[in-house]
Amino acid sequence: MAEEGYKVVLNVYDLSNGLARQLSTSFLGKPIEAIWHTGVVVYGNEYFFGGGIQSLPAGRTPYGRPVRVVELGETHIPREVFEDYLRDISPRYTAETYRLLSHNCNNFSHEVAQFLVGAGIPDYILKLPAEVMSSPMGPLIMPMIQNLESTLRTNAAPQATQFVPTPASVSVPPPQPQPNKPSSAAKSSSDDAKQQSEAGAAASADPLGGARGKVQEEVMREFAAIMASGTLRASEAAALAMRRVMERHGNAATTMQQS
């Protein structure tokens, strides 16, 4: 055990930059204070989960200045022991295991805090996904979240240097041409027509289906455009895409809830 203790704090960020507080009531039907992201600061570094377990000097993460700093306590665990622990849990914290609602940066911070000081992070941060999904718009948001998670897992993105390297991705050979198959353009047209037909049928069964599909498509378009710029990681691109759509459709969300 180390003779001296190390202060442990939680840096808390709002990925929406204040927009959640301004637009959540109209967009979700209930107030949401922020879209929380957290990192644990100890030994002069900040440790966080984003595409893998990462570590950067405190105050040098891509999330800017924290909106809150929560003192978690003091640990006497040596840095070497802590970093061995991170290597042990790293297979559970990869781009493939990331889940926006149930296995995210805040779940990582909670587990790390329990290891270091024997107590987790504040409940209001951990309970945010449940609050969002219990809102009137929760059922409409779930398919969009599932689509985003699928995209996050299948699209590589620039990432900060990871503290614990994740396994190298396996290269996938290009698909071989298949005989007697329609051309990609013809198949795309056929698929588009089929999707439009299915969307029309779904809209007639679900009055909000059209609005849900529109929001999903807009978020995915924004996400693809941001990723194409190559300047943000996938998790940050997803948050920015959602923010842009929230800005454009805050009033539209109110109309949908009242209909």
Side-chain angles (χ1 to χ4, degrees), residues 118-163:
I121 69 174
D123 280 347
Y124 71 85
I125 296 174
L126 290 174
K127 291 180 178 178
L128 175 64
E131 285 190 48
V132 172
M133 297 315 298
S134 67
S135 71
M137 289 291 286
L140 302 186
I141 294 172
M142 177 57 80
M144 179 171 59
I145 289 175
Q146 292 171 338
N147 285 340
L148 282 172
E149 287 182 339
S150 176
T151 303
L152 290 173
R153 288 193 294 272
T154 57
N155 288 274
Q159 295 182 358
T161 301
Q162 294 189 14
F163 169 71

Side-chain angles (χ1 to χ4, degrees), residues 28-251:
L28 297 175
K30 67 183 300 182
I32 298 295
E33 186 175 1
I35 305 299
W36 303 118
H37 166 82
T38 58
V40 175
V41 179
V42 64
Y43 316 115
N45 287 336
E46 182 165 344
Y47 299 85
F48 57 99
F49 176 31
I53 298 176
Q54 299 180 14
S55 170
L56 288 172
R60 299 286 299 278
T61 73
Y63 303 101
R65 295 183 62 182
V67 296
R68 295 176 186 172
V69 176
V70 180
E71 294 191 3
L72 297 177
E74 187 175 87
T75 186
H76 290 273
I77 295 174
R79 177 172 179 170
E80 295 78 10
V81 174
F82 174 64
E83 294 188 347
D84 284 342
Y85 159 77
L86 291 182
R87 293 185 183 92
D88 288 341
I89 68 173
S90 63
R92 293 193 286 108
Y93 289 98
T94 68
E96 291 73 21
T97 64
Y98 187 90
R99 298 293 182 273
L100 288 171
L101 296 179
S102 59
H103 192 67
N104 54 40
C105 56
N106 301 320
N107 300 113
F108 169 77
S109 295
H110 183 65
E111 181 172 347
V112 166
Q114 288 178 318
F115 178 82
L116 288 171
V117 300
I121 69 174
D123 280 347
Y124 71 85
I125 296 174
L126 290 174
K127 291 180 178 178
L128 175 64
E131 285 190 48
V132 172
M133 297 315 298
S134 67
S135 71
M137 289 291 286
L140 302 186
I141 294 172
M142 177 57 80
M144 179 171 59
I145 289 175
Q146 292 171 338
N147 285 340
L148 282 172
E149 287 182 339
S150 176
T151 303
L152 290 173
R153 288 193 294 272
T154 57
N155 288 274
Q159 295 182 358
T161 301
Q162 294 189 14
F163 169 71
V164 180
T166 54
S169 58
V170 179
S171 60
V172 180
Q176 299 299 316
Q178 299 293 326
N180 302 323
K181 293 284 184 72
S183 68
S184 59
K187 187 177 185 301
S188 177
S189 297
S190 174
D191 289 346
D192 288 345
K194 181 179 179 181
Q195 290 174 1
Q196 290 175 2
S197 175
E198 292 176 349
S204 62
D206 178 3
L208 292 179
R212 174 176 56 197
K214 181 178 179 181
V215 172
Q216 290 177 9
E217 290 172 5
E218 290 197 24
V219 172
M220 295 307 294
R221 281 199 300 270
E222 287 284 358
F223 179 78
I226 296 168
M227 291 290 288
S229 69
T231 57
L232 295 177
R233 292 172 300 161
S235 58
E236 296 167 331
L240 179 57
M242 174 69 81
R243 187 199 315 167
R244 288 179 177 176
V245 173
M246 286 174 66
E247 285 179 316
R248 286 201 298 266
H249 294 285
N251 292 333

Side-chain angles (χ1 to χ4, degrees), residues 13-37:
Y13 306 88
D14 176 12
L15 293 179
S16 75
N17 291 329
L19 285 172
R21 183 190 296 271
Q22 297 173 25
L23 299 175
S24 58
T25 300
S26 60
F27 192 78
L28 297 175
K30 67 183 300 182
I32 298 295
E33 186 175 1
I35 305 299
W36 303 118
H37 166 82

